[in-house]
Amino acid sequence: MGSSPTRGTRSRVMWAAPVVALSLIAAGCGAGGDSTAGLSDTLGTTNDINPKSVDELRDGGNLRLATTTYPANWNTLSNDGNDGEIADIERSMMPRAFDTDAAGELSINKDYFTDIALTSTNPQQVTYTINPKAVWSDGNPITWEDMKSEADALSGKDKRFLIAITNGFEFVDKVERGVDDRQAILTFSHPYAEWRGQFAGNAALFPKSVTADPDSFNNSLANAMGPSAGPFQVVSTDRAQGRIVLGHNPKWWGNKPKLDTITYSVLDHSAWTTALQNNELDLIQLTTVDDVQTVRNTGGLVVRRAPGNRWRHITFNGAPGSILSDPKVRVAVSKAIDRQAIVTAIQNGLVENPKPLNNHIFLQGQAGYQDNSLGFDPEAAARELDAAGWKLNGDVREKDGRKLVIRDVMYNDPTWVQIAQIIQQNLAKIGVGLTIDTKPGAGYFTDVIQPGDFDAAQFIWSGDAFAFSSIRQAYYYDPNDLQGNYARVGSPELNALIDRTLSELDPKKALELANEVDRQVFEEGHSLPLMQSDGSFGVRAELANVGSPGLASYDYTKIGFVK
């Protein structure tokens, strides 16, 4: 997903990074526990992080977190590294141009940049002035050359770079040295409203040693992290034991972190709540009523909650030869899926009024959100399949001797399976078969989603404060440069509309164009949004300045344990 087109209306949306298990919901739709009155999954302007001054925190401590799989590639700009869990591990280590508060408001991250300004509009130019103290962990200064190298790599001009997103760099004509090596001037060939998100949000600045050539970009971080530039750095990894430890970066020039270390343990998502209960973890995302109740009933733990920007969906594979290659079939299938029944089953007891997500670009609570969906209409779906030549033969439709049976792929988690079972029941009513095919977390994106080894696939998109920056990533179709369009679905008309949307500088018009994009995405049967996250986390009670962030970015130097 993308981000806000304007800082004026501050619609708070996202760049999309696929996350296989950050928000995986375990099975169950049970009731009980605290009332859900007033609880919503609509984005707001607050977070829930137990805010404390650093004077109230003790020095030291190890923050214990979980991840479902070891990083496939530490370069989060690459397709193999485009996983929200990897990005989360790296957030305390990599430079970003802007910080975000809980309302989605931006401020320059002064640790890395002393000034960032739109210095010309014709042509559009943005000038970044780098903090003179900023250095990579290998001692090399952060300079304009790092920014130029990343801009060139993500421009999309050299298809040997296996990029996850162009992030607006397709519109950058050149990056030049400013008054000295600590200043970069970006000149655009084409207006680009979302320029603030190019080195911010889910996008970070990497050193030129990583982005300079295709081999380095694709492979240099496949097995280990390279130079970083945050308060923390990787100090040890053990792939066999599934452990990653971050410690202080001795080259860090900013405020000293209160924590000594952050430890990530690779752990199947189904074990997270028990590990938190057993004092083996300090913070996890909660995804079921049972998880929430377990945390509430365990001494020393609290539930922190602020709706965030993760959302579940199902992507359809429209590649030539796929069972769903015909857009009419994809659309018919999408109309037969009862998303309200799915959301009610999964979120009952977590929010007061569970409702499906009806937009690919914006989330509920964001400026621009409107319902562009095609609706639940199984009777129309059956008629459309008939018209497309798929006729009932017994319980399942056939055409030219081929049965209409869809293989639905997902991470092996009870909630994904529960969702698939509801879809399976829905589709059976119109003569469409569905096979549930569960996969382990390791290799899910690199070995299954990216190669298109599915008819339908379920995963989570995770976003940031920059809504428009990844519309192109997910919905623009270039068969030679898929980026995040795992559906392999699109059209020249949609591509042209996306380009118009991204170059529109009028905020109101940009929102209108983005919704035109969204309607076309629905009409092509690209994918089907299901629901957005309610943002519940289980946290150790004495942990401060971390919890459920909403839209806000964390200051990792201020996270710690209360004295």
Side-chain angles (χ1 to χ4, degrees):
M1 301 251 312
S3 80
S4 163
T6 167
R7 301 306 81 158
T9 59
R10 284 291 195 271
S11 65
R12 302 172 297 276
V13 209
M14 42 183 55
W15 173 93
V19 185
V20 63
L22 269 176
S23 295
L24 291 177
I25 300 175
C29 52
D34 294 5
S35 168
T36 59
L39 293 184
S40 169
D41 57 1
T42 298
L43 283 176
T45 58
T46 60
N47 58 11
D48 188 1
I49 62 169
N50 190 25
K52 301 289 181 183
S53 73
V54 292
D55 295 336
E56 297 176 80
L57 307 182
R58 65 177 189 258
D59 292 324
N62 175 36
L63 176 62
R64 300 165 299 172
L65 305 173
T67 185
T68 58
T69 187
Y70 196 86
N73 192 317
W74 295 78
N75 179 7
T76 56
L77 306 174
S78 73
N79 233 333
D80 284 355
N82 182 29
D83 183 321
E85 289 193 303
I86 303 172
D88 280 351
I89 293 170
E90 295 183 12
R91 283 192 186 277
S92 66
M93 300 192 285
M94 301 306 291
R96 284 175 171 79
F98 292 95
D99 291 323
T100 312
D101 70 10
E105 299 284 337
L106 303 178
S107 59
I108 295 171
N109 187 331
K110 293 299 183 75
D111 283 329
Y112 300 108
F113 297 94
T114 57
D115 187 58
I116 302 170
L118 181 66
T119 46
S120 172
T121 55
N122 188 23
Q124 180 175 332
Q125 283 188 327
V126 178
T127 301
Y128 289 82
T129 304
I130 301 165
N131 186 331
K133 297 178 182 177
V135 295
W136 298 107
S137 54
D138 61 5
N140 286 318
I142 297 176
T143 74
W144 75 280
E145 291 181 331
D146 296 304
M147 304 183 76
K148 172 179 169 51
S149 182
E150 182 159 316
D152 289 346
L154 297 185
S155 69
K157 293 172 184 172
D158 187 341
K159 303 303 184 187
R160 295 176 300 166
F161 287 89
L162 303 180
I163 62 175
I165 184 172
T166 51
N167 210 25
F169 290 112
E170 69 271 32
F171 303 131
V172 173
D173 182 48
K174 57 186 175 180
V175 180
E176 298 173 293
R177 183 179 185 268
V179 295
D180 58 24
D181 283 350
R182 297 289 195 162
Q183 191 174 72
I185 302 172
L186 278 65
T187 302
F188 291 73
S189 58
H190 192 292
Y192 182 60
E194 200 64 290
W195 59 266
R196 294 172 184 83
Q198 291 184 298
F199 296 104
N202 283 341
L205 176 63
F206 278 75
K208 62 184 179 183
S209 60
V210 173
T211 57
D213 61 78
D215 185 59
S216 296
F217 186 90
N218 300 334
N219 302 314
S220 68
L221 303 189
N223 295 310
M225 186 63 183
S228 56
F232 289 89
Q233 65 178 11
V234 175
V235 295
S236 69
T237 59
D238 189 328
R239 186 185 291 265
Q241 293 294 317
R243 188 149 295 129
I244 299 162
V245 180
L246 313 184
H248 290 184
N249 173 9
K251 302 287 188 184
W252 174 245
W253 57 95
N255 294 329
K256 182 182 177 182
K258 298 299 287 188
L259 292 169
D260 284 333
T261 53
I262 303 173
T263 300
Y264 289 87
S265 297
V266 177
L267 197 62
D268 188 88
H269 190 268
S270 62
W272 285 15
T273 303
T274 301
L276 182 70
Q277 239 190 326
N278 292 342
N279 198 21
E280 296 164 357
L281 295 173
D282 297 310
L283 182 151
I284 63 168
Q285 185 153 21
L286 304 173
T287 47
T288 69
V289 176
D290 290 343
D291 289 343
V292 169
Q293 285 302 106
T294 296
V295 170
R296 285 184 176 142
N297 294 333
T298 302
L301 299 180
V302 293
V303 175
R304 304 212 183 279
R305 189 181 184 284
N309 45 16
R310 294 185 171 105
W311 54 285
R312 293 177 180 270
H313 84 292
I314 184 167
T315 282
F316 301 116
N317 187 346
S322 164
I323 193 76
L324 295 177
S325 61
D326 183 348
K328 294 176 183 176
V329 175
R330 296 194 300 271
V331 167
V333 166
S334 71
K335 288 180 181 178
I337 295 173
D338 188 350
R339 294 180 301 132
Q340 182 60 61
I342 292 170
V343 179
T344 299
I346 302 303
Q347 290 196 333
N348 183 34
L350 291 172
V351 299
E352 182 178 17
N353 180 28
K355 52 189 178 295
L357 178 64
N358 292 312
N359 198 298
H360 294 85
I361 314 295
F362 303 109
L363 295 184
Q364 296 169 78
Q366 293 172 333
Y369 180 83
Q370 66 185 46
D371 183 351
N372 294 318
S373 69
L374 305 181
F376 172 55
D377 192 344
E379 290 80 11
R383 291 194 303 269
E384 290 167 17
L385 289 176
D386 283 337
W390 291 92
K391 304 297 186 182
L392 268 176
N393 183 2
D395 293 332
V396 179
R397 293 175 181 270
E398 288 186 1
K399 182 181 180 181
D400 300 329
R402 191 179 189 188
K403 290 183 180 295
L404 187 50
V405 177
I406 298 167
R407 183 168 61 91
D408 185 13
V409 170
M410 68 216 68
Y411 173 71
N412 189 10
D413 175 89
T415 297
W416 283 125
V417 173
Q418 185 184 6
I419 290 170
Q421 288 170 339
I422 295 171
I423 295 172
Q424 188 179 51
Q425 293 163 9
N426 293 159
L427 296 185
K429 294 177 182 176
I430 62 163
V432 177
L434 184 130
T435 302
I436 298 172
D437 186 3
T438 59
K439 303 289 184 182
Y444 183 64
F445 285 109
T446 55
D447 301 339
V448 180
I449 302 301
Q450 287 181 31
D453 185 15
F454 61 89
D455 298 326
Q458 299 178 43
F459 55 92
I460 287 168
W461 286 110
S462 174
D464 60 15
F466 305 97
F468 282 25
S469 57
S470 52
I471 294 175
R472 184 180 175 104
Q473 175 197 18
Y475 308 116
Y476 191 99
Y477 181 57
D478 178 349
N480 298 313
D481 184 17
L482 289 174
Q483 296 185 42
N485 189 343
Y486 303 123
R488 294 159 171 81
V489 167
S491 66
E493 294 76 19
L494 180 55
N495 288 353
L497 180 58
I498 289 170
D499 284 340
R500 279 181 58 208
T501 303
L502 296 181
S503 61
E504 178 55 66
L505 299 180
D506 179 272
K508 186 172 183 292
K509 289 180 182 175
L511 294 179
E512 292 170 356
L513 287 169
N515 275 300
E516 288 183 35
V517 169
D518 181 52
R519 181 68 181 190
Q520 283 198 27
V521 171
F522 274 111
E523 289 173 346
E524 291 189 351
H526 177 286
S527 52
L528 194 61
L530 297 175
M531 72 196 83
Q532 60 197 69
S533 168
D534 68 294
S536 296
F537 287 78
V539 187
R540 212 149 294 287
E542 70 266 29
L543 195 55
N545 299 322
V546 69
S548 187
L551 291 165
S553 48
Y554 285 132
D555 182 342
Y556 284 86
T557 68
K558 294 180 179 178
I559 296 173
F561 295 91
V562 177
K563 290 178 180 175

